[in-house]
Structures are given as C-alpha cells and as structure tokens.
Amino acid sequence: MTSVLEGQVAFVTGAARGQGRAHAVALAEHGADIIALDICTSIDTVPYQLATRDDLDETIRLVEATGRKIAAFEADVRDYQAVADVVNTGLQQFGQIDIVVANAGVYSFGPLDSVDIELQRWRDIIDINLTGVFHTIKASVPSMVARGKGGSVILVSSTAGIRGLRSMADYTASKHGVVGLMRTFTNELGPHGIRVNSVHPTGVRTHMITNEELVQWYADNPSMAANVSANLLPVDLIEPEDVSEAVLFLASDASRYVTGLEMKVDAGFTERL
Ligand SMILES: NC(=O)c1ccc[n+]([C@@H]2O[C@H](COP(=O)([O-])OP(=O)(O)OC[C@H]3O[C@@H](n4cnc5c(N)ncnc54)[C@H](O)[C@@H]3O)[C@@H](O)[C@H]2O)c1
C-alpha cells in the first residue's frame, strides 16, 4: 500500500460504520493517523438504527490493523462543544489535522409529500447533515489555518445535493446546504492553501440504504424507487470503498490544485434524462 498520506492526520465524522469507516480505514492504509467520532446511539426521527459503540470499536480495530493510530470518540455533531472537545483531544494526541472528512449524516422517510414532513424530523436532519458539517469545519479548520501548511476539507453531500429528490425536502435541502458551505469555504480557505470539495455519491451499500425499514418503504411505495435506483451505469448500489477512492484523491496531493469541486461518484445518476 502506498503511503501518500504518511505523517498526516485525518479527522473523520460518522466513522463507526459505512462510508465513514471505509474512509478512515482507506486514509489509514495510505499512511494517515485518524481522529474519529460517531454518535453511537439512535435518534427518534431516524427510522433505522444508527451505529453502536461496537461498530466504533470495530473501526478502531480495522484502523489499528493498518499500523496507524486512531483516537475515536462518541460525540454528536449537533453538539458543537462535543465536536470541539474531540478535535482538541485529537490535536493533543497527534499535534495537527491535515484532512477533514465531514461524513456523519442521516436520512429519513415516511410521508410521500415533503410538505408533510414532521417538524422535529426536519430539525434533526438539518441539525445533523448541515449544521453538523458546519460544526465539524468550525472545530477543526482554525488549527489548519494557524499551522499554515494547507490541507484538504472534504464534505460529504449526495446526489440530493445536486438535484431534487421526491419526498425528502429535508435531506435534499441539507445536502444542497453542504454545497453552499463548500463554495463559501473554498473562497475563504483558498488563500491558506486549504482545499474544500464536496463528494456526491449515488446510493451506497450501507445500513442507511439497506435497512429493512427503507426496503419495506420502497416496496410499499414503488413510485419512490427512482430516488435510488436510476443509475446510468449498470449498478444498483455502489460500495463504500468506491466513495473512499474519491476521498483519497481529494485528500492527497494528486488533487493539489482541485478545490471547489462537486465530485460526483454517482454512476451517472444526476445526468439521467
Ligand atoms: N448510503 C447512501 O446511499 C448515501 C448516498 C449519498 C450520500 N450519503 C451520505 O454519506 C454519509 C455516510 O452515510 P452512510 O451511507 O455511511 O450511512 P451510515 O448510516 O452507515 O453511516 C452514517 C454514520 O453517521 C453516524 N451519525 C449519524 N448521526 C450522527 C451525529 N449526529 N453525530 C455523529 N455521528 C452521527 C451514524 O451513527 C453512522 O455511523 C452521510 O452523510 C450520508 O448522507 C449516503
């Protein structure tokens, strides 16, 4: 395995399972030490289980198996102070942050018309998927600016950050909001040599999509299936590692002059006519 990230430190949110775990392991395989957080508990308005402490422990095990170090914590990205505490503890341990992957996110489903989304669900999705990303940036980026060595900030959006998807105005708005953060911070951090890009996956084979509640919801509401099953390339769901390849590219010097990019890993989903 190449060590293109040797000596670097990556901060990854939502790292207990799914894409966040895959990113943490891939970054470690390429030489980075990892600061990780995950909520490790479920939320009432999210109809599937979020990660557990056991999941986070498995990420720790997998990262350590690469030979790199990891500092991993239970924290909720809705709680700014909790995120800042994780960053500060990680900085004490590793001394620096070079790469930020704002990946923690949730999805919800229920009413077919977005106007019927319950208010608490709206608040939770925006708080986690959008405000949580801002918290992640706010807690980590000042240390990168102060250090003066540049870096890479990678914000996980979605195809729902590029086009509208039915029945999920909250998720779609949150993921478009992430693009707004990306564009703003691209401008503000460019002079510091810090690149900011967003990643836009199509449906990825993680518990967010494969949970039985959502599978049943699509079975009950076949008209909604186009939200996730309309890739142009012949693939239903991509793998978390497919997204990690994009994260690795954006984290490494291979993309040293790439900033402000909405990088689609979407099997053509958003180009579908
Ligand atoms: N799976 C897909 O089809 C898909 C497609 C496009 C984008 N995404 C995005 O990719 C990212 C990762 O999702 P995934 O597919 O790995 O799903 P996942 O549910 O397996 O992973 C999300 C992780 O975030 C954690 N998390 C949730 N709320 C949190 C909070 N408040 N604070 C800290 N951690 C929290 C969860 O516990 C979980 O470990 C999300 O931002 C998601 O919106 C997913």
Side-chain angles (χ1 to χ4, degrees):
M1 197 59 69
T2 55
S3 299
V4 291
L5 303 177
E6 187 82 52
Q8 298 199 32
V9 179
F11 173 39
V12 184
T13 68
R17 72 175 190 200
Q19 294 177 63
R21 174 190 284 168
H23 302 338
V25 172
L27 291 162
E29 282 173 344
H30 287 76
D33 289 324
I34 306 295
I35 303 167
L37 69 75
D38 201 288
I39 189 170
C40 296
T41 188
S42 290
I43 294 175
D44 286 349
T45 52
V46 177
Y48 58 92
Q49 262 206 324
L50 298 180
T52 63
R53 178 71 221 190
D54 284 351
D55 291 324
L56 188 59
D57 288 341
E58 177 64 4
T59 297
I60 293 171
R61 192 187 68 76
L62 290 169
V63 167
E64 288 178 345
T66 71
R68 304 313 317 176
K69 297 195 182 73
I70 177 168
F73 306 91
E74 291 178 36
D76 185 338
V77 294
R78 290 175 293 183
D79 178 350
Y80 172 70
Q81 195 53 53
V83 180
D85 288 348
V86 167
V87 166
N88 290 333
T89 308
L91 284 171
Q92 278 164 19
Q93 188 163 339
F94 296 127
Q96 70 198 61
I97 291 174
D98 304 277
I99 299 156
V100 175
V101 186
N103 163 81
V106 294
Y107 173 69
S108 200
F109 45 90
L112 297 190
D113 293 329
S114 289
V115 75
D116 295 325
I117 290 171
E118 60 166 307
L119 292 173
Q120 192 57 46
R121 169 182 145 180
W122 171 274
R123 291 190 193 101
D124 288 343
I125 297 249
I126 299 295
D127 279 358
I128 296 169
N129 292 3
L130 179 54
T131 309
V133 170
F134 176 64
H135 288 166
T136 301
I137 295 168
K138 184 174 171 64
S140 58
V141 160
S143 72
M144 299 165 78
V145 171
R147 186 159 166 260
K149 302 263 188 192
S152 174
V153 177
I154 300 157
L155 308 182
V156 177
S157 179
S158 167
T159 52
I162 292 177
R163 56 179 291 180
L165 295 182
R166 292 175 60 200
S167 86
M168 41 198 274
D170 46 3
Y171 188 80
T172 305
S174 72
K175 293 299 189 182
H176 275 72
V178 166
V179 176
L181 291 175
M182 183 275 284
R183 293 214 172 99
T184 300
F185 283 105
T186 294
N187 275 280
E188 294 183 6
L189 298 176
H192 298 282
I194 299 171
R195 302 180 293 106
V196 187
N197 297 287
S198 54
V199 176
H200 301 260
T202 186
V204 187
R205 196 181 317 282
T206 68
H207 192 67
M208 176 179 283
I209 292 293
T210 60
N211 67 82
E212 59 188 45
E213 292 84 353
L214 183 57
V215 170
Q216 186 61 51
W217 188 77
Y218 279 123
D220 294 343
N221 301 285
S223 66
M224 291 295 142
N227 271 357
V228 290
S229 62
N231 294 330
L232 288 179
L233 296 175
V235 60
D236 283 344
L237 296 176
I238 64 172
E239 305 301 325
E241 291 74 16
D242 294 315
V243 185
S244 298
E245 292 291 345
V247 168
L248 281 173
F249 170 71
L250 293 173
S252 75
D253 266 1
S255 63
R256 64 184 171 154
Y257 298 125
V258 177
T259 193
L261 177 68
E262 293 166 63
M263 188 162 181
K264 298 191 284 188
V265 189
D266 74 346
F269 183 98
T270 54
E271 295 298 329
R272 192 189 74 231
L273 296 175

